[in-house]
Each structure stands twice: as C-alpha cells, then as structure tokens.
Amino acid sequence: AEDYEEMIRENEAFRERTRELEAQVEELSESEKILQKTIVTAQQLSDDLKKTAVRESEVLVSEAEVKAV
C-alpha cells in the first residue's frame, strides 16, 4: 500500500512538473514570436534607412552638379 501511495505521489509530481514545463514552453514560444517580429521590423527599418540615405545622396549629387554648371 505504501508503494502504491508513493507511486501516486510521484505520478502527481511528474504531472505537475509536466504542467510547469508546458507553461514554460508556451512562454518561450511567445517570446520567440515577439523576437521574430522585432527582427523583421528592424530589418524593414534598416532597409528604409538605406533607401533614404541613397535618395539623399542622389539629391546632394544633383545639387552639386547644378552648382558646378
């Protein structure tokens, strides 16, 4: 009877640990999604900044060419 009760306690402890780990996996999964979105946003911002820099440099070149004439 004691062995059976011990097995029941161990089983419940394993179930509780499984619930904790499942909750942790869910939290980490949500964090991963947020990080992925953040990376995509940062990449888009970087691309936009590069395009803006190229446009600004083209304007400066054009202005310099006009002044040189």
Side-chain angles (χ1 to χ4, degrees):
E2 288 180 24
D3 288 341
Y4 181 72
E5 290 175 6
E6 179 63 24
M7 286 175 46
I8 290 174
R9 282 192 294 274
E10 285 181 6
N11 191 19
E12 184 55 37
F14 286 138
R15 286 181 187 198
E16 177 60 28
R17 182 65 178 144
T18 299
R19 284 190 288 270
E20 291 170 1
L21 291 172
E22 286 173 344
Q24 188 176 9
V25 166
E26 184 65 30
E27 288 176 22
L28 291 172
S29 184
E30 288 300 314
S31 294
E32 181 183 21
K33 289 176 188 175
I34 291 169
L35 286 171
Q36 287 175 342
K37 288 179 182 179
T38 302
I39 289 170
V40 168
T41 301
Q43 184 62 50
Q44 290 170 340
L45 179 59
S46 173
D47 292 344
D48 290 346
L49 288 171
K50 287 177 188 175
K51 289 176 186 175
T52 300
V54 167
R55 278 190 238 115
E56 288 178 1
S57 67
E58 290 170 347
V59 168
L60 289 173
V61 168
S62 295
E63 290 174 354
E65 288 173 345
V66 167
K67 287 180 182 178
V69 174

Short mmCIF file of all heavy atoms in Angstrom, two decimals:
data_model
loop_
_atom_site.label_atom_id
_atom_site.label_comp_id
_atom_site.label_asym_id
_atom_site.label_seq_id
_atom_site.Cartn_x
_atom_site.Cartn_y
_atom_site.Cartn_z
N ALA A 1 0.83 -1.20 0.00
CA ALA A 1 0.00 0.00 0.00
C ALA A 1 0.87 1.26 0.00
O ALA A 1 0.55 2.23 -0.67
CB ALA A 1 -0.92 0.01 1.21
N GLU A 2 1.98 1.23 0.75
CA GLU A 2 2.86 2.40 0.79
C GLU A 2 3.51 2.63 -0.58
O GLU A 2 3.66 3.78 -1.00
CB GLU A 2 3.93 2.23 1.87
CG GLU A 2 3.40 2.35 3.28
CD GLU A 2 4.49 2.17 4.31
OE1 GLU A 2 5.67 2.40 3.99
OE2 GLU A 2 4.15 1.81 5.45
N ASP A 3 3.89 1.53 -1.24
CA ASP A 3 4.49 1.67 -2.57
C ASP A 3 3.49 2.29 -3.54
O ASP A 3 3.85 3.13 -4.36
CB ASP A 3 4.95 0.31 -3.10
CG ASP A 3 6.17 -0.22 -2.37
OD1 ASP A 3 6.87 0.59 -1.73
OD2 ASP A 3 6.43 -1.43 -2.44
N TYR A 4 2.26 1.87 -3.44
CA TYR A 4 1.22 2.39 -4.32
C TYR A 4 1.00 3.88 -4.06
O TYR A 4 0.93 4.68 -5.00
CB TYR A 4 -0.08 1.60 -4.10
CG TYR A 4 -1.21 2.06 -4.98
CD1 TYR A 4 -1.21 1.78 -6.35
CD2 TYR A 4 -2.28 2.79 -4.45
CE1 TYR A 4 -2.24 2.21 -7.16
CE2 TYR A 4 -3.31 3.23 -5.26
CZ TYR A 4 -3.29 2.93 -6.62
OH TYR A 4 -4.30 3.35 -7.43
N GLU A 5 0.93 4.27 -2.80
CA GLU A 5 0.76 5.68 -2.45
C GLU A 5 1.96 6.50 -2.91
O GLU A 5 1.80 7.63 -3.38
CB GLU A 5 0.55 5.83 -0.95
CG GLU A 5 -0.80 5.30 -0.47
CD GLU A 5 -0.94 5.34 1.04
OE1 GLU A 5 -0.04 5.87 1.72
OE2 GLU A 5 -1.95 4.83 1.53
N GLU A 6 3.16 5.94 -2.76
CA GLU A 6 4.37 6.63 -3.23
C GLU A 6 4.33 6.82 -4.74
O GLU A 6 4.69 7.87 -5.26
CB GLU A 6 5.61 5.85 -2.81
CG GLU A 6 6.92 6.46 -3.27
CD GLU A 6 7.19 7.84 -2.69
OE1 GLU A 6 6.65 8.17 -1.61
OE2 GLU A 6 7.93 8.60 -3.33
N MET A 7 3.87 5.81 -5.45
CA MET A 7 3.75 5.91 -6.91
C MET A 7 2.74 6.99 -7.30
O MET A 7 2.97 7.75 -8.25
CB MET A 7 3.36 4.56 -7.52
CG MET A 7 4.50 3.56 -7.52
SD MET A 7 4.04 1.91 -8.09
CE MET A 7 3.12 2.20 -9.54
N ILE A 8 1.65 7.07 -6.55
CA ILE A 8 0.64 8.10 -6.82
C ILE A 8 1.24 9.48 -6.59
O ILE A 8 1.05 10.39 -7.41
CB ILE A 8 -0.62 7.87 -5.95
CG1 ILE A 8 -1.36 6.62 -6.42
CG2 ILE A 8 -1.52 9.10 -5.99
CD1 ILE A 8 -2.53 6.23 -5.54
N ARG A 9 1.99 9.66 -5.50
CA ARG A 9 2.63 10.95 -5.22
C ARG A 9 3.65 11.31 -6.32
O ARG A 9 3.70 12.44 -6.78
CB ARG A 9 3.31 10.93 -3.85
CG ARG A 9 2.33 11.10 -2.69
CD ARG A 9 3.08 11.35 -1.39
NE ARG A 9 3.87 10.18 -0.97
CZ ARG A 9 3.39 9.18 -0.24
NH1 ARG A 9 2.13 9.18 0.15
NH2 ARG A 9 4.16 8.16 0.11
N GLU A 10 4.45 10.33 -6.71
CA GLU A 10 5.44 10.57 -7.76
C GLU A 10 4.76 10.93 -9.08
O GLU A 10 5.19 11.83 -9.80
CB GLU A 10 6.32 9.34 -7.95
CG GLU A 10 7.36 9.14 -6.88
CD GLU A 10 8.23 7.91 -7.11
OE1 GLU A 10 8.10 7.27 -8.18
OE2 GLU A 10 9.03 7.59 -6.24
N ASN A 11 3.68 10.21 -9.37
CA ASN A 11 2.94 10.46 -10.61
C ASN A 11 2.39 11.89 -10.60
O ASN A 11 2.49 12.61 -11.61
CB ASN A 11 1.81 9.45 -10.76
CG ASN A 11 1.18 9.49 -12.13
OD1 ASN A 11 1.77 10.00 -13.07
ND2 ASN A 11 -0.02 8.97 -12.24
N GLU A 12 1.84 12.33 -9.49
CA GLU A 12 1.31 13.68 -9.38
C GLU A 12 2.45 14.71 -9.50
O GLU A 12 2.29 15.74 -10.14
CB GLU A 12 0.55 13.88 -8.07
CG GLU A 12 -0.10 15.24 -7.96
CD GLU A 12 -1.02 15.58 -9.12
OE1 GLU A 12 -1.72 14.69 -9.64
OE2 GLU A 12 -1.01 16.75 -9.53
N ALA A 13 3.59 14.41 -8.90
CA ALA A 13 4.74 15.31 -9.01
C ALA A 13 5.20 15.41 -10.46
O ALA A 13 5.52 16.51 -10.95
CB ALA A 13 5.89 14.81 -8.12
N PHE A 14 5.22 14.30 -11.18
CA PHE A 14 5.60 14.32 -12.59
C PHE A 14 4.59 15.11 -13.42
O PHE A 14 4.96 15.86 -14.32
CB PHE A 14 5.73 12.90 -13.15
CG PHE A 14 6.97 12.17 -12.68
CD1 PHE A 14 6.90 10.84 -12.30
CD2 PHE A 14 8.20 12.79 -12.64
CE1 PHE A 14 8.03 10.15 -11.88
CE2 PHE A 14 9.34 12.13 -12.22
CZ PHE A 14 9.25 10.81 -11.83
N ARG A 15 3.32 14.94 -13.09
CA ARG A 15 2.28 15.69 -13.81
C ARG A 15 2.43 17.19 -13.57
O ARG A 15 2.31 17.99 -14.51
CB ARG A 15 0.90 15.23 -13.39
CG ARG A 15 0.53 13.88 -13.94
CD ARG A 15 -0.86 13.49 -13.52
NE ARG A 15 -1.11 12.11 -13.94
CZ ARG A 15 -2.30 11.57 -14.04
NH1 ARG A 15 -3.37 12.27 -13.74
NH2 ARG A 15 -2.44 10.32 -14.42
N GLU A 16 2.70 17.57 -12.34
CA GLU A 16 2.89 18.98 -12.02
C GLU A 16 4.11 19.54 -12.75
O GLU A 16 4.06 20.63 -13.31
CB GLU A 16 3.04 19.18 -10.50
CG GLU A 16 3.30 20.60 -10.08
CD GLU A 16 2.20 21.56 -10.47
OE1 GLU A 16 1.03 21.14 -10.60
OE2 GLU A 16 2.51 22.76 -10.67
N ARG A 17 5.19 18.78 -12.74
CA ARG A 17 6.40 19.23 -13.45
C ARG A 17 6.13 19.35 -14.94
O ARG A 17 6.60 20.29 -15.59
CB ARG A 17 7.55 18.23 -13.19
CG ARG A 17 8.85 18.62 -13.82
CD ARG A 17 9.40 19.90 -13.22
NE ARG A 17 10.68 20.20 -13.84
CZ ARG A 17 11.09 21.41 -14.12
NH1 ARG A 17 10.37 22.46 -13.79
NH2 ARG A 17 12.26 21.61 -14.69
N THR A 18 5.35 18.42 -15.48
CA THR A 18 4.99 18.48 -16.90
C THR A 18 4.18 19.75 -17.19
O THR A 18 4.43 20.44 -18.18
CB THR A 18 4.19 17.24 -17.31
OG1 THR A 18 5.00 16.08 -17.10
CG2 THR A 18 3.77 17.29 -18.76
N ARG A 19 3.23 20.08 -16.32
CA ARG A 19 2.45 21.32 -16.49
C ARG A 19 3.35 22.55 -16.45
O ARG A 19 3.20 23.48 -17.26
CB ARG A 19 1.36 21.41 -15.42
CG ARG A 19 0.17 20.50 -15.66
CD ARG A 19 -0.98 20.83 -14.70
NE ARG A 19 -0.68 20.42 -13.34
CZ ARG A 19 -0.97 19.22 -12.82
NH1 ARG A 19 -1.55 18.30 -13.56
NH2 ARG A 19 -0.67 18.95 -11.56
N GLU A 20 4.30 22.56 -15.52
CA GLU A 20 5.23 23.68 -15.42
C GLU A 20 6.06 23.82 -16.69
O GLU A 20 6.24 24.93 -17.21
CB GLU A 20 6.16 23.50 -14.22
CG GLU A 20 5.49 23.61 -12.87
CD GLU A 20 6.39 23.19 -11.72
OE1 GLU A 20 7.57 22.82 -11.96
OE2 GLU A 20 5.93 23.22 -10.56
N LEU A 21 6.55 22.70 -17.18
CA LEU A 21 7.38 22.74 -18.39
C LEU A 21 6.57 23.15 -19.61
O LEU A 21 7.06 23.89 -20.47
CB LEU A 21 8.06 21.38 -18.61
CG LEU A 21 9.14 21.02 -17.59
CD1 LEU A 21 9.60 19.58 -17.80
CD2 LEU A 21 10.31 21.97 -17.67
N GLU A 22 5.33 22.68 -19.68
CA GLU A 22 4.47 23.08 -20.80
C GLU A 22 4.21 24.58 -20.76
O GLU A 22 4.20 25.24 -21.80
CB GLU A 22 3.16 22.29 -20.77
CG GLU A 22 3.33 20.85 -21.20
CD GLU A 22 2.07 20.00 -21.02
OE1 GLU A 22 1.15 20.43 -20.28
OE2 GLU A 22 2.02 18.91 -21.61
N ALA A 23 3.99 25.12 -19.56
CA ALA A 23 3.78 26.56 -19.43
C ALA A 23 5.04 27.33 -19.84
O ALA A 23 4.96 28.36 -20.52
CB ALA A 23 3.39 26.90 -17.99
N GLN A 24 6.19 26.81 -19.46
CA GLN A 24 7.45 27.46 -19.82
C GLN A 24 7.66 27.42 -21.34
O GLN A 24 8.09 28.41 -21.93
CB GLN A 24 8.61 26.77 -19.11
CG GLN A 24 9.93 27.48 -19.28
CD GLN A 24 11.05 26.81 -18.48
OE1 GLN A 24 10.88 25.73 -17.93
NE2 GLN A 24 12.18 27.47 -18.42
N VAL A 25 7.33 26.30 -21.95
CA VAL A 25 7.46 26.19 -23.41
C VAL A 25 6.54 27.20 -24.08
O VAL A 25 6.93 27.87 -25.06
CB VAL A 25 7.13 24.75 -23.88
CG1 VAL A 25 6.93 24.70 -25.38
CG2 VAL A 25 8.25 23.80 -23.48
N GLU A 26 5.33 27.37 -23.57
CA GLU A 26 4.39 28.34 -24.13
C GLU A 26 4.94 29.76 -24.01
O GLU A 26 4.89 30.54 -24.96
CB GLU A 26 3.04 28.23 -23.41
CG GLU A 26 1.97 29.13 -23.98
CD GLU A 26 1.58 28.78 -25.39
OE1 GLU A 26 1.66 27.60 -25.78
OE2 GLU A 26 1.20 29.71 -26.13
N GLU A 27 5.50 30.09 -22.85
CA GLU A 27 6.08 31.42 -22.66
C GLU A 27 7.24 31.65 -23.62
O GLU A 27 7.36 32.72 -24.23
CB GLU A 27 6.57 31.58 -21.22
CG GLU A 27 5.48 31.72 -20.20
CD GLU A 27 6.02 31.79 -18.78
OE1 GLU A 27 7.21 32.14 -18.60
OE2 GLU A 27 5.26 31.49 -17.86
N LEU A 28 8.10 30.66 -23.74
CA LEU A 28 9.25 30.79 -24.64
C LEU A 28 8.81 30.90 -26.10
O LEU A 28 9.40 31.63 -26.88
CB LEU A 28 10.21 29.61 -24.45
CG LEU A 28 10.95 29.60 -23.11
CD1 LEU A 28 11.72 28.28 -22.95
CD2 LEU A 28 11.89 30.78 -22.99
N SER A 29 7.76 30.18 -26.43
CA SER A 29 7.23 30.25 -27.80
C SER A 29 6.71 31.65 -28.09
O SER A 29 6.95 32.20 -29.18
CB SER A 29 6.12 29.21 -27.96
OG SER A 29 5.66 29.18 -29.28
N GLU A 30 6.01 32.24 -27.13
CA GLU A 30 5.53 33.62 -27.30
C GLU A 30 6.70 34.60 -27.42
O GLU A 30 6.67 35.50 -28.26
CB GLU A 30 4.62 34.02 -26.13
CG GLU A 30 3.26 33.35 -26.15
CD GLU A 30 2.47 33.65 -27.40
OE1 GLU A 30 2.40 34.82 -27.82
OE2 GLU A 30 1.91 32.70 -27.98
N SER A 31 7.72 34.40 -26.60
CA SER A 31 8.90 35.27 -26.67
C SER A 31 9.57 35.14 -28.03
O SER A 31 10.03 36.14 -28.60
CB SER A 31 9.90 34.90 -25.57
OG SER A 31 9.36 35.19 -24.31
N GLU A 32 9.64 33.94 -28.55
CA GLU A 32 10.24 33.72 -29.87
C GLU A 32 9.46 34.46 -30.95
O GLU A 32 10.05 35.10 -31.82
CB GLU A 32 10.28 32.22 -30.19
CG GLU A 32 10.91 31.92 -31.54
CD GLU A 32 10.88 30.45 -31.90
OE1 GLU A 32 10.05 29.70 -31.33
OE2 GLU A 32 11.68 30.05 -32.75
N LYS A 33 8.13 34.41 -30.88
CA LYS A 33 7.31 35.12 -31.87
C LYS A 33 7.57 36.62 -31.81
O LYS A 33 7.70 37.29 -32.84
CB LYS A 33 5.83 34.84 -31.63
CG LYS A 33 5.40 33.44 -31.99
CD LYS A 33 3.94 33.21 -31.63
CE LYS A 33 3.55 31.77 -31.81
NZ LYS A 33 2.17 31.49 -31.36
N ILE A 34 7.66 37.15 -30.59
CA ILE A 34 7.92 38.59 -30.43
C ILE A 34 9.29 38.95 -30.99
O ILE A 34 9.44 39.95 -31.68
CB ILE A 34 7.80 38.98 -28.94
CG1 ILE A 34 6.34 38.89 -28.48
CG2 ILE A 34 8.35 40.39 -28.70
CD1 ILE A 34 6.15 38.99 -26.99
N LEU A 35 10.28 38.12 -30.70
CA LEU A 35 11.63 38.38 -31.22
C LEU A 35 11.66 38.32 -32.74
O LEU A 35 12.33 39.14 -33.39
CB LEU A 35 12.63 37.38 -30.63
CG LEU A 35 13.00 37.62 -29.17
CD1 LEU A 35 13.82 36.45 -28.64
CD2 LEU A 35 13.76 38.91 -29.01
N GLN A 36 10.95 37.36 -33.33
CA GLN A 36 10.91 37.26 -34.78
C GLN A 36 10.28 38.52 -35.39
O GLN A 36 10.79 39.06 -36.38
CB GLN A 36 10.13 36.02 -35.22
CG GLN A 36 10.89 34.73 -34.99
CD GLN A 36 10.06 33.49 -35.31
OE1 GLN A 36 8.84 33.54 -35.38
NE2 GLN A 36 10.74 32.37 -35.47
N LYS A 37 9.19 39.00 -34.79
CA LYS A 37 8.55 40.22 -35.29
C LYS A 37 9.49 41.42 -35.13
O LYS A 37 9.55 42.28 -36.01
CB LYS A 37 7.25 40.48 -34.54
CG LYS A 37 6.14 39.51 -34.91
CD LYS A 37 4.88 39.80 -34.12
CE LYS A 37 3.79 38.80 -34.46
NZ LYS A 37 2.55 39.03 -33.69
N THR A 38 10.21 41.46 -34.02
CA THR A 38 11.15 42.55 -33.79
C THR A 38 12.26 42.55 -34.83
O THR A 38 12.65 43.61 -35.34
CB THR A 38 11.75 42.44 -32.37
OG1 THR A 38 10.68 42.47 -31.42
CG2 THR A 38 12.72 43.56 -32.08
N ILE A 39 12.76 41.37 -35.15
CA ILE A 39 13.83 41.26 -36.15
C ILE A 39 13.33 41.72 -37.52
O ILE A 39 14.01 42.46 -38.24
CB ILE A 39 14.36 39.82 -36.22
CG1 ILE A 39 15.16 39.52 -34.95
CG2 ILE A 39 15.21 39.60 -37.46
CD1 ILE A 39 15.53 38.06 -34.78
N VAL A 40 12.12 41.31 -37.88
CA VAL A 40 11.55 41.73 -39.17
C VAL A 40 11.38 43.24 -39.20
O VAL A 40 11.73 43.90 -40.19
CB VAL A 40 10.20 41.01 -39.42
CG1 VAL A 40 9.46 41.64 -40.59
CG2 VAL A 40 10.43 39.52 -39.67
N THR A 41 10.88 43.81 -38.12
CA THR A 41 10.70 45.27 -38.06
C THR A 41 12.04 45.99 -38.15
O THR A 41 12.16 46.99 -38.87
CB THR A 41 9.98 45.66 -36.75
OG1 THR A 41 8.71 45.00 -36.70
CG2 THR A 41 9.77 47.15 -36.65
N ALA A 42 13.04 45.49 -37.46
CA ALA A 42 14.37 46.11 -37.53
C ALA A 42 14.95 46.02 -38.94
O ALA A 42 15.57 46.98 -39.42
CB ALA A 42 15.30 45.43 -36.53
N GLN A 43 14.74 44.90 -39.61
CA GLN A 43 15.23 44.75 -40.98
C GLN A 43 14.53 45.73 -41.91
O GLN A 43 15.16 46.36 -42.76
CB GLN A 43 15.02 43.31 -41.47
CG GLN A 43 15.60 43.05 -42.85
CD GLN A 43 17.10 43.24 -42.90
OE1 GLN A 43 17.82 42.70 -42.07
NE2 GLN A 43 17.58 43.99 -43.86
N GLN A 44 13.21 45.89 -41.74
CA GLN A 44 12.47 46.83 -42.57
C GLN A 44 12.94 48.26 -42.31
O GLN A 44 13.11 49.04 -43.26
CB GLN A 44 10.96 46.72 -42.29
CG GLN A 44 10.36 45.43 -42.78
CD GLN A 44 8.93 45.23 -42.30
OE1 GLN A 44 8.49 45.83 -41.32
NE2 GLN A 44 8.20 44.36 -42.98
N LEU A 45 13.17 48.59 -41.06
CA LEU A 45 13.67 49.92 -40.73
C LEU A 45 15.04 50.15 -41.35
O LEU A 45 15.32 51.22 -41.91
CB LEU A 45 13.74 50.09 -39.21
CG LEU A 45 14.26 51.43 -38.69
CD1 LEU A 45 13.39 52.57 -39.19
CD2 LEU A 45 14.30 51.42 -37.18
N SER A 46 15.89 49.16 -41.27
CA SER A 46 17.22 49.25 -41.88
C SER A 46 17.12 49.48 -43.38
O SER A 46 17.82 50.33 -43.94
CB SER A 46 18.01 47.98 -41.57
OG SER A 46 19.23 47.96 -42.26
N ASP A 47 16.26 48.73 -44.02
CA ASP A 47 16.06 48.89 -45.47
C ASP A 47 15.56 50.30 -45.80
O ASP A 47 16.03 50.93 -46.76
CB ASP A 47 15.08 47.84 -46.01
CG ASP A 47 15.64 46.43 -45.95
OD1 ASP A 47 16.87 46.27 -45.79
OD2 ASP A 47 14.84 45.47 -46.05
N ASP A 48 14.61 50.78 -45.02
CA ASP A 48 14.08 52.13 -45.24
C ASP A 48 15.16 53.19 -45.06
O ASP A 48 15.25 54.15 -45.84
CB ASP A 48 12.91 52.43 -44.29
CG ASP A 48 11.66 51.62 -44.64
OD1 ASP A 48 11.60 51.05 -45.75
OD2 ASP A 48 10.75 51.56 -43.79
N LEU A 49 15.99 53.02 -44.03
CA LEU A 49 17.07 53.98 -43.80
C LEU A 49 18.08 53.98 -44.95
O LEU A 49 18.56 55.04 -45.37
CB LEU A 49 17.78 53.67 -42.48
CG LEU A 49 16.99 53.98 -41.21
CD1 LEU A 49 17.71 53.44 -39.99
CD2 LEU A 49 16.78 55.48 -41.08
N LYS A 50 18.37 52.79 -45.47
CA LYS A 50 19.30 52.71 -46.61
C LYS A 50 18.72 53.42 -47.83
O LYS A 50 19.42 54.17 -48.52
CB LYS A 50 19.59 51.25 -46.95
CG LYS A 50 20.48 50.55 -45.97
CD LYS A 50 20.66 49.09 -46.34
CE LYS A 50 21.40 48.32 -45.26
NZ LYS A 50 21.48 46.88 -45.56
N LYS A 51 17.43 53.19 -48.09
CA LYS A 51 16.79 53.85 -49.23
C LYS A 51 16.79 55.36 -49.07
O LYS A 51 17.06 56.10 -50.03
CB LYS A 51 15.35 53.34 -49.40
CG LYS A 51 15.26 51.91 -49.89
CD LYS A 51 13.81 51.44 -49.92
CE LYS A 51 13.74 49.96 -50.27
NZ LYS A 51 12.36 49.44 -50.19
N THR A 52 16.51 55.82 -47.87
CA THR A 52 16.52 57.26 -47.60
C THR A 52 17.92 57.84 -47.79
O THR A 52 18.09 58.91 -48.40
CB THR A 52 16.02 57.54 -46.17
OG1 THR A 52 14.69 57.04 -46.04
CG2 THR A 52 16.04 59.03 -45.86
N ALA A 53 18.93 57.14 -47.34
CA ALA A 53 20.31 57.60 -47.49
C ALA A 53 20.69 57.68 -48.96
O ALA A 53 21.36 58.64 -49.39
CB ALA A 53 21.26 56.68 -46.74
N VAL A 54 20.27 56.69 -49.73
CA VAL A 54 20.58 56.71 -51.17
C VAL A 54 19.89 57.90 -51.83
O VAL A 54 20.51 58.63 -52.62
CB VAL A 54 20.15 55.37 -51.84
CG1 VAL A 54 20.16 55.49 -53.35
CG2 VAL A 54 21.05 54.23 -51.38
N ARG A 55 18.60 58.13 -51.50
CA ARG A 55 17.89 59.27 -52.09
C ARG A 55 18.54 60.59 -51.71
O ARG A 55 18.71 61.48 -52.56
CB ARG A 55 16.43 59.26 -51.63
CG ARG A 55 15.57 58.32 -52.45
CD ARG A 55 14.08 58.53 -52.14
NE ARG A 55 13.55 57.25 -51.68
CZ ARG A 55 13.08 56.99 -50.47
NH1 ARG A 55 13.01 57.93 -49.57
NH2 ARG A 55 12.65 55.80 -50.15
N GLU A 56 18.93 60.72 -50.45
CA GLU A 56 19.57 61.95 -50.01
C GLU A 56 20.90 62.17 -50.71
O GLU A 56 21.24 63.29 -51.09
CB GLU A 56 19.76 61.93 -48.50
CG GLU A 56 18.46 62.10 -47.72
CD GLU A 56 18.65 62.04 -46.22
OE1 GLU A 56 19.80 61.88 -45.75
OE2 GLU A 56 17.64 62.14 -45.50
N SER A 57 21.66 61.09 -50.89
CA SER A 57 22.94 61.25 -51.59
C SER A 57 22.72 61.62 -53.05
O SER A 57 23.48 62.42 -53.61
CB SER A 57 23.77 59.96 -51.49
OG SER A 57 23.17 58.90 -52.20
N GLU A 58 21.68 61.08 -53.67
CA GLU A 58 21.38 61.45 -55.07
C GLU A 58 21.00 62.92 -55.17
O GLU A 58 21.39 63.61 -56.12
CB GLU A 58 20.26 60.56 -55.61
CG GLU A 58 20.68 59.12 -55.83
CD GLU A 58 19.52 58.18 -56.15
OE1 GLU A 58 18.34 58.59 -55.97
OE2 GLU A 58 19.78 57.04 -56.55
N VAL A 59 20.25 63.41 -54.19
CA VAL A 59 19.87 64.83 -54.18
C VAL A 59 21.12 65.69 -54.02
O VAL A 59 21.28 66.69 -54.73
CB VAL A 59 18.85 65.12 -53.05
CG1 VAL A 59 18.69 66.62 -52.84
CG2 VAL A 59 17.51 64.47 -53.36
N LEU A 60 22.01 65.30 -53.12
CA LEU A 60 23.23 66.07 -52.92
C LEU A 60 24.09 66.10 -54.18
O LEU A 60 24.65 67.14 -54.54
CB LEU A 60 24.04 65.49 -51.74
CG LEU A 60 23.44 65.71 -50.36
CD1 LEU A 60 24.24 64.94 -49.32
CD2 LEU A 60 23.40 67.19 -50.02
N VAL A 61 24.19 64.96 -54.86
CA VAL A 61 24.97 64.91 -56.11
C VAL A 61 24.34 65.81 -57.15
O VAL A 61 25.02 66.57 -57.85
CB VAL A 61 25.09 63.45 -56.60
CG1 VAL A 61 25.64 63.40 -58.03
CG2 VAL A 61 25.98 62.64 -55.66
N SER A 62 23.01 65.74 -57.25
CA SER A 62 22.31 66.58 -58.23
C SER A 62 22.53 68.06 -57.93
O SER A 62 22.78 68.86 -58.83
CB SER A 62 20.81 66.28 -58.23
OG SER A 62 20.59 64.97 -58.67
N GLU A 63 22.43 68.44 -56.66
CA GLU A 63 22.67 69.84 -56.27
C GLU A 63 24.09 70.27 -56.59
O GLU A 63 24.32 71.38 -57.06
CB GLU A 63 22.36 70.04 -54.79
CG GLU A 63 20.89 69.97 -54.44
CD GLU A 63 20.62 70.03 -52.96
OE1 GLU A 63 21.59 70.01 -52.15
OE2 GLU A 63 19.45 70.10 -52.58
N ALA A 64 25.04 69.38 -56.34
CA ALA A 64 26.42 69.70 -56.62
C ALA A 64 26.65 69.86 -58.13
O ALA A 64 27.40 70.75 -58.56
CB ALA A 64 27.33 68.61 -56.08
N GLU A 65 25.99 69.03 -58.91
CA GLU A 65 26.13 69.14 -60.38
C GLU A 65 25.55 70.45 -60.88
O GLU A 65 26.10 71.09 -61.78
CB GLU A 65 25.45 67.95 -61.06
CG GLU A 65 26.19 66.64 -60.88
CD GLU A 65 25.42 65.44 -61.42
OE1 GLU A 65 24.21 65.53 -61.69
OE2 GLU A 65 26.07 64.36 -61.54
N VAL A 66 24.43 70.87 -60.31
CA VAL A 66 23.79 72.13 -60.72
C VAL A 66 24.72 73.31 -60.37
O VAL A 66 24.90 74.23 -61.16
CB VAL A 66 22.41 72.29 -60.05
CG1 VAL A 66 21.88 73.71 -60.21
CG2 VAL A 66 21.43 71.28 -60.64
N LYS A 67 25.30 73.26 -59.17
CA LYS A 67 26.18 74.34 -58.75
C LYS A 67 27.46 74.38 -59.59
O LYS A 67 28.05 75.42 -59.78
CB LYS A 67 26.55 74.18 -57.27
CG LYS A 67 25.40 74.51 -56.33
CD LYS A 67 25.81 74.33 -54.90
CE LYS A 67 24.63 74.61 -53.97
NZ LYS A 67 24.98 74.40 -52.56
N ALA A 68 27.88 73.21 -60.08
CA ALA A 68 29.12 73.13 -60.86
C ALA A 68 28.95 73.71 -62.26
O ALA A 68 29.91 74.05 -62.91
CB ALA A 68 29.59 71.68 -60.94
N VAL A 69 27.71 73.78 -62.71
CA VAL A 69 27.46 74.26 -64.07
C VAL A 69 27.53 75.76 -64.17
O VAL A 69 27.37 76.54 -63.38
CB VAL A 69 26.08 73.76 -64.59
CG1 VAL A 69 25.74 74.38 -65.93
CG2 VAL A 69 26.09 72.26 -64.67
#
